[in-house]
Structures are given as C-alpha cells and as structure tokens.
Amino acid sequence: MALGSDEVKKIAHLARLEISDADVPEYAKNLSNILDFVEQMNSVDTSDVAPMAHPLELPQRLRADEATEENQRELFQSVAPQVEAGLFLVPKVIE
Amino acid sequence: MHTKTIVDLSSGLKEGAFSSEELVQHFLKRIDQLDPDLNSFITVTGEQALAAAHEADQKIKAGGAGPLTGIPFAHKDIFCTKGVRTSCGSRMLDNFIAPYNAGVTEKMQQAGAIMLGKTNMDEFAMGSSNETSYYGPVKNPWGDNLVPGGSSGGSASAVAARLSPASTGTDTGGSIRQPAALCGITGIKPTYGRVSRYGMIAFASSLDQGGPMARTAEDAALVLQTMAGFDERDSTCVDQPVPDYTASLNDSIQGLKIGLPKEYFGEGLDANVARTIDEAIAEYRKLGAEVVDISLPNSKLAAPAYYVVAPAECSSNLSRMDGVRFGHRCKDPVDLEDLYKRSRGEGFGEEVKRRILIGAYALSAGYYDAYYLKAQQIRRLISDDFKKAFEQVDVIMSPTAPTTAFGLGEKTKDPITMYLSDIYTIAVNLAGLPGMSVPAGFVNELPVGLQIIGNYFDEARLLNVAHQYQQVTDWHTRIPKGFE
C-alpha cells in the first residue's frame, strides 16, 4: 500500500496537522512502509471473528445523572493560552 | 542509602537510622551530580520533596507510617501532578502546569511517598528508546551512548543508576517492561484496569496501563499495592479488591507450570539473549517448576495489529491538543484552522505526527473495516491464544526484548526497525494481561530481561515467581559502573 504526496497532505489536513512540503515525501515513504508492515494482518481470514473492543469485555459502568464536579473554571483556564471574561479566545470564526 | 531496597529503607526510617529528609537530600544530591549526563529527569521537585519529607518524618515519629511513608520515588512525566509541569515529553505540553492530580499521584501522596521529580520519556509515550522526547534522549547507565529503552526510559534509567529507589511507568506496548529489561531493573505492567488511568495522559486508551518500576519484585509489590485499586473517575478501572501482593511472595513455586511459546524464541532473537533466557529457565527448573512447550500461533500478527490500534486511538486522543484550552499555541494565527494546524505542527515531534497520520488514515472514511476492525479481530485471535495457553500453564516466560540495549541513533531512521524491539511485549497489551520483566543476566556486560506473563489479575503470582528467582540469583543487585 503506497501513499502518494497528495494523500499524505489530505490526511494531514483531516488531522489538522501542519507538515512542511519538504517533509511530505519522507512521510509518504515512512507511512507507506508502516502500511505495508500492517498488511500482514491480511494473512489470516478473520471473517468469522468478533472484533475485540476491550480486553476485559466488561459492560460500561453507569452512574446517576448528577453533577459531581464543582465548577473550577478559573483553575482550568489558568493554563489556557488566551482567555477573556471566562471564555477561551480563538481567532474570529464568524465575520 | 541509595543501594538499599525500599524494604530496607522503610525499616531504616522506622528505626531512626536516618530521616526521610536525609534520604531525600541524599537522592537529590545524586540527581544533581549524576543526572546532567543521564538526562533521566525533566523536572526535579526538590523543594516540594523536602517539605513532604519533613511531614513524613513527623508521621513516622508519631507511629503512623506505612511501607512507603518517607520513601522517595520518581514519577513518569505522563501522570498529572497539581502545580507541577506535566510535559509528557512534548513541546506541546512544555508550558502545562497540571491543574489536578492523577489517581496514581493521589495514591502515592496518600501513602506518604515523596516525589523527587518527573522523569523523561518518549513524547506522549510513543517510542522504544526515549529518543522522541522533546527534552532530549536519556542515556542508559550501563554503557556509553546506549538507549535506556522506552517509553518509560527516564524512569528505568533513574532506578538503574540509583537516583531513585523506584519509579512509576506506563506500558502501552512494552513501555515498562522493555526499558526495565534494557536497564536491568524489575517492572510490572498490571492487568488492564488494575491501576487508574485518571490523569494519566492518554496514548491508546484500550492498551495503556500504569505500573511500578523498582529494583526487586518485593519493592515492586509494595509500590503496586499503593498504585492499584478502583477509581470511579476512570471508566475502565476495575472494581475488584486488591490482594496483598507481599503476602504470597515467599510461597514455594514447586510444581509451577511455565509455558515457553516457541514463537518467542525464533527469528530475530539474539543468540546470546536466548542463551541467557535458557539459563534463567534452568534456574526455575531447579526451583521445582515444570516447563511446557506451548504455541501462541498468532504472535507474528501482534505488532501489525498494534500499529493500527495504537495510532488510531492516539490520533483520537491527541485531538484534544489543539492550542485552544491548554498547551502550545502558535504565534499570530490568521484563522482557527491555522491555529489548529500550526499549533499541532509545532507542538508535536516527528514520531507523534507519523502516528497521528497513520491513525487518521486508518480511521478515515472507507478504511475503517480494512484497518481498525481487522486489527480488533486479530486482537481477539491473540487473546484466544493466551486463553488456551493458560488452560495448560500458570505463567508464560520469554525474553522481554530481542536484544540488549542498542546505540543512540541506531534505529531512529527506520520506524519499523524500532517497532520490532517491542515484538515480545505488544501481545500482552492487546490481550490486557499482566506482564513483568525481571533481570536475568548479562550479555557483554549489558542486562537481559526475562518476561513473565500471567493470567488476568494474577499480579500476585507474577511477583511471587519473580521474587523466588531473585532469592537464588543476584542479577537485580548489580550496579552499573560509576553509580555504585
């Protein structure tokens, strides 16, 4: 499975990850090698095998729908890059 | 003091041979002198450590001390520590002062253990050599320019160099066991769900598990006793009582059935490592264990399935690092997309980017069945292999890693070569089983680790099996030159 430069750029866009044009060929090569390696999975027929999502196959624990955490907005926003009036700031989204 | 085990240090503290403050000062001094070369710590928290030691001394005097009260430890920089930088080895979190404590951090604090600092690691735990860290590689104290293994490389190196009696680690595909093997120390990855993942920065949520790294199985048992247990804030943490891990350490292993999977002794295994493992197995025979040849036929599919599951989950988990609420933000973003892309492009290193891209590809429209679903099916086959094996045997043994510590830079050019250094540890994570690495000898003066794999929640047996071996061998007591 060989990935081309255009595909690498497309995936990088999907992942919202900037990679420089100069690095794209190296990524294409490495990612293609990894996909080739992963290809070994196809050496076995798994059509009758149920996928295993969780090692212990325990049901998801449920809890009552009650507020259990107190509001710690100031504490959590103390590590934010840019905050104003209790809001996280980002560049303008709507003109 | 630095050559003593936790067990000895704990009785020394209780008898008043030294105080926790003296102990902490001693280790801080060693870190100060020896770590500039090793680079095993990202952050040293000396002041906090001395204040906590002072408190521990009061507690010991008042007679309220537990086995870890006043005992120093090093904390992998993946566990959130309130008020202390928690970087996960990444530029992305270089400025991140955790606003809360991880479940494991709380438990260690409650037990009175003293955090000396946060240890270096592969960026977001993605790596097998500690070379992907933003803070530079860690050196293995056993040789010049050798890697300590990864991703818990700083934790392993610090314990091997006697800069800390024990440390915490996390293991997604071998990240406790492989560095433990390469640095000649003892490490255990517990059953998935045994230790809380709350506040442990997520890499691959269905595989990640925290555990202790120490010099002896007995010390590892003491630390695991504290780390393990239910935490309702982690939805996959298992609500099951934690057994007394030290109670069964001295049980006889007469009649223990050890399975040797032929797939773990084949191509790719260094001949000298193989011979060392054979000698360790011979030692177990002398202790009365019975050795059975077994097969785990789908073993060779473990690494391929892992390199789908782990990147897929990482690409999802790391989407929270977007430059908006915490972590690195690029300068002067022109719009929101630019903010996301450049913050992430600048914040993440090469290997992390590679894995995000692979994961995003595997999960993208049209590829889900061919990659993620297929990998989850392989995962079932691997888990079934282990189930069958454990109907026949009590534990499974193998080498932890195919070679001893390799050179810095030796495997960084080709990601696949690096991935293969975890071939014997990955399957255990896919199945969610507990696994351990124990020092089992040396090849050309470099340590070799024996891996012991157990059935679900059988940590007590693993520790017992390791402890019995450590009663008749002294590999775990060897100290690297220059760190005596």
Side-chain angles (χ1 to χ4, degrees):
Chain A
M1 182 76 209
L3 283 186
S5 293
D6 287 349
E7 278 168 299
V8 170
K9 286 182 190 166
K10 192 181 137 206
I11 306 161
H13 170 68
L14 289 174
R16 298 296 184 270
L17 195 58
E18 186 185 68
I19 55 176
S20 75
D21 282 345
D23 290 340
V24 168
E26 185 68 14
Y27 276 111
K29 191 187 98 190
N30 280 325
L31 298 186
S32 299
N33 287 343
I34 295 169
L35 290 175
D36 281 341
F37 175 68
V38 158
E39 205 66 25
Q40 291 176 60
M41 293 196 302
N42 295 323
S43 63
V44 287
D45 177 13
T46 51
S47 44
D48 297 331
V49 180
M52 182 172 136
H54 186 292
L56 299 173
E57 308 203 43
L58 293 173
Q60 186 67 43
R61 230 177 24 247
L62 300 174
R63 63 167 177 87
D65 185 17
E66 288 161 359
T68 53
E69 290 288 319
E70 52 187 296
N71 188 1
Q72 300 184 69
R73 184 165 67 182
E74 275 177 30
L75 174 67
F76 293 138
Q77 289 195 330
S78 66
V79 291
Q82 217 184 344
V83 177
E84 199 178 293
L87 303 170
F88 294 100
L89 292 194
V90 295
K92 202 189 263 182
V93 179
I94 304 164
E95 289 300 326
Chain B
M1 283 187 272
H2 55 272
T3 57
K4 288 189 160 67
T5 62
I6 294 178
V7 176
D8 291 341
L9 289 174
S10 193
S11 43
L13 285 171
K14 274 171 205 150
E15 287 156 11
F18 42 81
S19 68
S20 173
E21 225 174 314
E22 286 166 334
L23 194 56
V24 167
Q25 252 154 3
H26 179 74
F27 280 107
L28 288 174
K29 199 172 152 200
R30 276 183 73 78
I31 293 169
D32 194 43
Q33 285 170 343
L34 299 166
D35 204 50
D37 187 41
L38 288 176
N39 198 27
S40 66
F41 282 85
I42 291 173
T43 306
V44 178
T45 51
E47 259 174 58
Q48 289 106 309
L50 287 168
H54 185 73
E55 239 175 81
D57 282 329
Q58 308 298 317
K59 211 168 164 186
I60 294 164
K61 270 192 206 135
L68 295 190
T69 308
I71 301 291
F73 79 103
H75 211 14
K76 185 174 181 181
D77 208 16
I78 197 168
F79 290 99
C80 283
T81 43
K82 191 172 181 170
V84 174
R85 174 171 63 174
T86 301
S87 75
C88 224
S90 182
R91 182 184 180 195
M92 180 58 93
L93 296 181
D94 182 50
N95 62 0
F96 180 64
I97 310 293
Y100 69 103
N101 278 325
V104 166
T105 307
E106 280 176 2
K107 280 179 184 287
M108 293 300 279
Q109 261 178 16
Q110 281 156 11
I114 316 290
M115 180 175 87
L116 294 170
K118 309 288 298 282
T119 54
N120 204 341
M121 55 182 283
D122 278 301
E123 184 179 11
F124 287 105
M126 297 173 199
S128 310
S129 65
N130 216 116
E131 289 167 294
T132 72
S133 170
Y134 174 60
Y135 301 93
V138 174
K139 279 189 198 158
N140 188 322
W142 286 99
D144 285 339
N145 297 314
L146 293 177
V147 304
S151 69
S152 312
S155 289
S157 174
V159 171
R162 273 61 178 171
L163 304 185
S164 176
S167 59
T168 57
T170 60
D171 190 315
T172 303
S175 283
I176 286 175
R177 291 160 288 157
Q178 186 255 17
L182 269 45
C183 289
I185 64 164
T186 306
I188 180 165
K189 178 206 95 78
T191 307
Y192 182 78
R194 180 75 287 183
V195 170
S196 170
R197 292 187 298 111
Y198 175 75
M200 187 179 107
I201 297 171
F203 160 15
S205 305
S206 76
L207 305 167
D208 297 343
Q209 186 59 203
M213 304 171 82
R215 296 212 298 275
T216 66
E218 191 175 19
D219 282 0
L222 285 175
V223 181
L224 181 60
Q225 196 76 48
T226 295
M227 292 176 79
F230 182 58
D231 183 347
E232 62 178 7
R233 298 163 301 182
D234 167 6
S235 68
T236 60
C237 196
V238 177
D239 191 1
Q240 245 189 54
V242 180
D244 182 347
Y245 292 125
T246 52
S248 48
L249 287 174
N250 292 313
D251 288 0
S252 158
I253 56 165
Q254 183 78 38
L256 177 86
K257 279 195 177 158
I258 299 172
L260 298 184
K262 62 171 191 242
E263 293 81 4
Y264 284 57
F265 290 87
E267 200 190 327
L269 176 60
D270 178 272
N272 291 318
V273 171
R275 201 181 52 236
T276 309
I277 297 300
D278 286 346
E279 284 162 12
I281 304 292
E283 205 62 56
Y284 273 104
R285 283 183 208 267
K286 279 195 236 159
L287 287 167
E290 191 188 320
V291 177
V292 183
D293 287 324
I294 60 164
S295 174
L296 300 167
N298 293 294
S299 296
K300 70 171 192 307
L301 301 173
Y306 177 86
Y307 279 99
V308 172
V309 174
E313 294 183 10
C314 108
S315 78
S316 168
N317 274 326
L318 266 55
S319 63
R320 74 187 59 154
M321 315 283 168
D322 59 4
V324 175
R325 288 154 302 146
F326 55 85
H328 176 74
R329 175 181 284 198
C330 66
K331 277 213 173 77
D332 306 323
V334 296
D335 57 20
L336 192 56
E337 191 174 295
D338 183 46
L339 183 152
Y340 289 151
K341 285 187 172 173
R342 277 201 292 129
S343 299
R344 289 162 62 77
E346 293 166 7
F348 294 136
E350 290 300 296
E351 179 62 19
V352 172
K353 284 184 201 168
R354 260 198 296 274
R355 296 205 196 186
I356 289 175
L357 292 172
I358 281 288
Y361 177 74
L363 293 176
S364 62
Y367 294 104
Y368 181 84
D369 285 6
Y371 292 105
Y372 197 70
L373 189 75
K374 180 81 186 181
Q376 297 286 58
Q377 288 171 317
I378 303 271
R379 199 168 171 181
R380 163 99 44 206
L381 296 178
I382 287 163
S383 172
D384 286 349
D385 283 355
F386 279 114
K387 269 189 197 135
K388 266 182 224 145
F390 282 120
E391 284 168 13
Q392 254 189 294
V393 298
D394 300 313
V395 295
I396 294 170
M397 290 188 186
S398 79
T400 306
T403 64
T404 53
F406 45 91
L408 282 162
E410 196 179 306
K411 296 188 182 187
T412 43
K413 286 217 177 67
D414 178 13
I416 306 278
T417 322
M418 186 69 88
Y419 295 173
L420 291 176
S421 61
D422 288 334
I423 43 170
Y424 302 137
T425 47
I426 278 172
V428 168
N429 298 77
L430 290 171
L433 293 164
M436 198 167 174
S437 183
V438 182
F442 289 80
V443 169
N444 298 328
E445 293 176 35
L446 295 178
V448 172
L450 168 74
Q451 179 172 234
I452 314 172
I453 304 167
N455 213 337
Y456 296 106
F457 297 101
D458 223 359
E459 287 82 5
R461 194 203 297 263
L462 292 188
L463 291 161
N464 162 230
V465 168
H467 181 70
Q468 288 306 306
Y469 178 72
Q470 292 183 338
Q471 298 312 294
V472 294
T473 56
D474 66 355
W475 309 118
H476 59 287
T477 65
R478 305 287 177 92
I479 305 176
K481 234 180 256 157
F483 298 92
E484 293 88 353

